[in-house]
Amino acid sequence: MSAPLWTIAEVARALGLKGSFPDTAVDFVTQDSRLVKPGSLFVALSGTPSGGFISSFASGRDGWDFADKAEASGAVAMIVPHEIAGIRVPQLVVNDTLIDGLWALARASRARFKGQVIGLTGSAGKTSTKEFLAAYDNAYASPSSFNNFWGVPLTLCNARPDASLWVVEMGMNQTGEIARLSELTRPTVALVVNVQPVHLEKLGSLEAIRREKVSIAQGLPDDGVLVLPAGIAAPEWSGTIVRFGDGTEVRELAHVPQGDSWRVTAQVGPRQTAFDLTPGAPHRVQNALAALASIQAAGLDAASLAAKLDSVGIMTGRGVEQTIGGVTVIDDSFNGNPASMAAALESLKARHMTGGRRIAVLGDMLELGGDAPAYHRDLAKYLSGIDGVYCVGPLMRHLYDLLPAGQGLGWHEDPATLQARDVAALLRAGDVAVVKGSKKMFWVNKFVPELVAALQAKA
């Protein structure tokens, strides 16, 4: 029988608690009472983040309000800020369940792992790149998009000590957050997937975004490696840098389309390697190169990862395809920014078509600050080869007004009132339609499932 992830006694020692605690096994750590299963440690977080962090999902209720539900679901212990009446499992009491509880346990987890840790961040494509890295044999990676002030420590707490590699994704809601997450994670390799105009309303400039992303290097040891795209400066880091992209040591040499997939030949350090990529290859190549560069920088076998890249699926909302009534819908609605929007359009243009049209359903790109209208107008240069464009949102009006006669299929201002059946009526058998925009435009409103239902009703 394999050793448990933790024991209650080990957790208590990691938190600096005195007293006697049982050696009961803990196999899962969670802050969500709905995810508790037998053998779980439940971390009862405050509904209002502590530690100076901010969250767009702050709750009016605290985690300890759900202690009874966690116990009923099988929690064997819980981290709480005070004793909870009626709870029979061990309660580990700390002043602040985030910083003194979850973060303290995450530090203890990281301290006991002696293998390679790749921390990654970027303006777009973080999770997709993380999924590529997670394909490495016996790797442990952040689940879903666990990349914030609670997601990163949860990843560390649940990471298997016997894994060959840990992969930890990091995001930000405020300046300084990536540096703090990196200092907690202490990566041996830090990857910046890209630097793009995202969160401009918060950070103000592309240079400020660069500084924030490159601050992931603050958690590196002196002999660590920073992995960067071509053209991104990092004067803040004086150690080793490995680069990927055109003209660098990790770059694409050639590709051959195979239907909607690509066979890619790449230079990875001193060796050439070939690998396949699933549909959406044009804007997955850079993510694949970033992953291979990071594995190479970690001193691991990049060729073994390359052989697995074709089996890495596309996550929901990030390019998943389905065909209904002859219409292929590409759901890329999870998020949108200028770089990822351009990549989605280039990928659509690269589609092998046997009839039908290439259609783009585009929603506003948010958080771009005062330059937002210009960023939307700039998308026009990527639309040659796109047969029809349907625009959604007030900012997308700037693009729609530039479309030539026959290319514009319509404009709708408010995504909340957008009717999927109206868009479905524009599509016909043989068409390939990509749906792309910031999360609030299509993802939150579950527009793509409604579009699929409308196409099914129409078929």
Side-chain angles (χ1 to χ4, degrees), residues 15-16 42 56 83 85-86 105 114 119 140 146 211 218 236 241 243 247 258-259 284 307 332 343 346 396 440 442 455:
L15 303 187
F42 175 57
S56 55
E83 289 279 349
L105 185 59
K114 306 308 178 185
Y140 182 89
F146 276 33
R211 288 196 301 268
Q218 291 188 31
E236 302 89 342
I241 294 177
R243 294 188 180 274
Q258 299 176 335
R284 286 164 65 81
D332 206 357
E346 292 295 339
M396 273 296 165
K440 292 181 180 179
F442 300 120
L455 288 169

Side-chain angles (χ1 to χ4, degrees), residues 9-263:
E10 287 173 340
V11 173
R13 285 195 293 272
L15 303 187
L17 300 179
K18 297 179 179 180
S20 178
F21 293 89
D23 288 322
T24 307
V26 171
D27 295 313
F28 182 58
V29 182
T30 182
Q31 93 298 357
D32 189 336
S33 62
R34 297 166 296 183
L35 299 180
V36 169
K37 54 189 177 182
S40 295
L41 170 69
F42 175 57
V43 185
L45 298 180
S46 170
T48 302
S50 60
F53 292 107
I54 60 174
S55 172
S56 55
F57 299 100
S59 170
R61 301 189 66 183
D62 299 311
W64 48 90
D65 294 337
F66 303 94
D68 57 339
K69 292 182 174 58
E71 184 179 42
S73 296
V76 295
M78 52 188 68
I79 299 176
V80 292
H82 51 75
E83 289 279 349
I84 308 295
I87 297 300
R88 292 163 294 181
V89 300
Q91 300 183 56
L92 310 178
V93 180
V94 296
N95 288 329
D96 183 331
T97 54
L98 177 65
I99 302 302
D100 304 323
L102 184 60
W103 277 55
L105 185 59
R107 285 194 181 90
S109 180
R110 177 63 185 92
R112 68 183 183 177
F113 183 63
K114 306 308 178 185
Q116 293 289 321
V117 179
I118 297 176
L120 71 149
T121 190
S123 301
K126 294 185 296 294
T127 303
S128 297
T129 304
K130 181 258 298 181
E131 290 298 302
F132 279 137
L133 287 164
Y136 194 81
D137 188 45
N138 198 32
Y140 182 89
S142 304
S144 186
S145 294
F146 276 33
N147 61 20
N148 64 357
F149 64 90
W150 57 259
V152 168
L154 274 177
T155 296
L156 297 173
C157 290
N158 284 300
R160 301 189 314 272
D162 62 348
S164 63
L165 166 71
W166 288 4
V167 183
V168 183
E169 179 183 342
M170 303 175 207
M172 55 80 66
N173 278 314
Q174 59 186 326
T175 302
E177 188 167 357
I178 289 174
R180 291 182 68 181
L181 294 175
S182 183
E183 288 163 355
L184 175 69
T185 301
R186 290 167 43 213
T188 53
V189 173
L191 164 64
V192 177
V193 177
N194 50 42
V195 175
Q196 301 292 345
V198 180
H199 301 307
L200 276 174
E201 287 183 346
K202 296 178 182 177
L203 296 175
S205 69
L206 197 58
E207 168 58 17
I209 295 170
R210 185 205 62 79
R211 288 196 301 268
E212 181 65 22
K213 302 306 179 186
V214 171
S215 71
I216 194 173
Q218 291 188 31
L220 284 171
D222 290 342
D223 60 351
V225 182
L226 179 61
V227 180
L228 295 173
I232 299 299
E236 302 89 342
W237 171 247
S238 58
T240 302
I241 294 177
V242 169
R243 294 188 180 274
F244 63 94
D246 293 345
T248 71
E249 54 261 59
V250 181
R251 62 192 183 277
E252 178 193 347
L253 298 176
H255 68 264
V256 178
Q258 299 176 335
D260 293 323
S261 300
W262 279 11
R263 179 70 173 174

